[in-house]
Amino acid sequence: MKEKDQQPAHWTIRVRGDVQGVFFRAGAAEQARALGLTGEARNMPDGSVQIEVEGPVAQLERFRVWCGHGPPRARVSDVDVREGQMQGYPPGTFKRL
C-alpha cells in the first residue's frame, strides 16, 4: 500500500437521492466503524445526507464507494466529496446526528 493511502484526511461527503428514512446514517456509521473511520452523519433539510469522516485515504475511498449505493433501501443519485480540515474526532466514534 502506498504511503499516501495511509495519510489521514478529512472528507465531507454529501449523498443525494432517496437517502433519508432508509437507515443511511445507521449504515454509514456501521460501515465507518468497520473501516476504522471517525466522524458524523446528519440528515440535511434538502433531503440529502452529509457525512464528515476522517481516517486513512485508502479507507475513505472504500467508504466513498459504499456511499455510492448505501444500505439496501437507499437509492443514491449523487455523491459529492470534498477535502477539508481535520477535526480530530475521538478514536472509535461515529455519530448519527
Side-chain angles (χ1 to χ4, degrees):
M1 194 169 281
K2 297 178 188 171
E3 186 177 326
K4 179 185 177 245
D5 291 341
Q6 293 305 311
Q7 291 293 319
H10 176 100
W11 287 3
T12 299
I13 302 174
R14 182 65 74 93
V15 185
R16 293 179 176 82
D18 184 11
V19 294
Q20 290 188 12
V22 295
F23 300 99
F24 201 98
R25 291 177 300 147
E30 183 178 314
Q31 186 68 20
R33 287 186 191 111
L35 292 170
L37 302 173
T38 60
E40 60 190 37
R42 71 178 68 225
N43 285 337
M44 302 303 288
D46 66 358
S48 66
V49 170
Q50 181 169 302
I51 303 166
E52 303 289 340
V53 63
E54 295 180 347
V57 171
Q59 299 304 82
L60 290 171
E61 241 340 288
R62 291 176 64 190
F63 184 73
R64 182 196 59 76
V65 169
W66 179 87
C67 288
H69 57 79
R73 293 178 44 207
R75 298 293 174 258
V76 176
S77 62
D78 183 57
V79 177
D80 180 54
V81 178
R82 298 174 193 267
E83 290 189 45
Q85 292 261 172
M86 292 291 289
Q87 300 299 307
Y89 297 104
T93 62
F94 193 94
K95 298 179 183 177
R96 293 178 292 158
L97 305 174

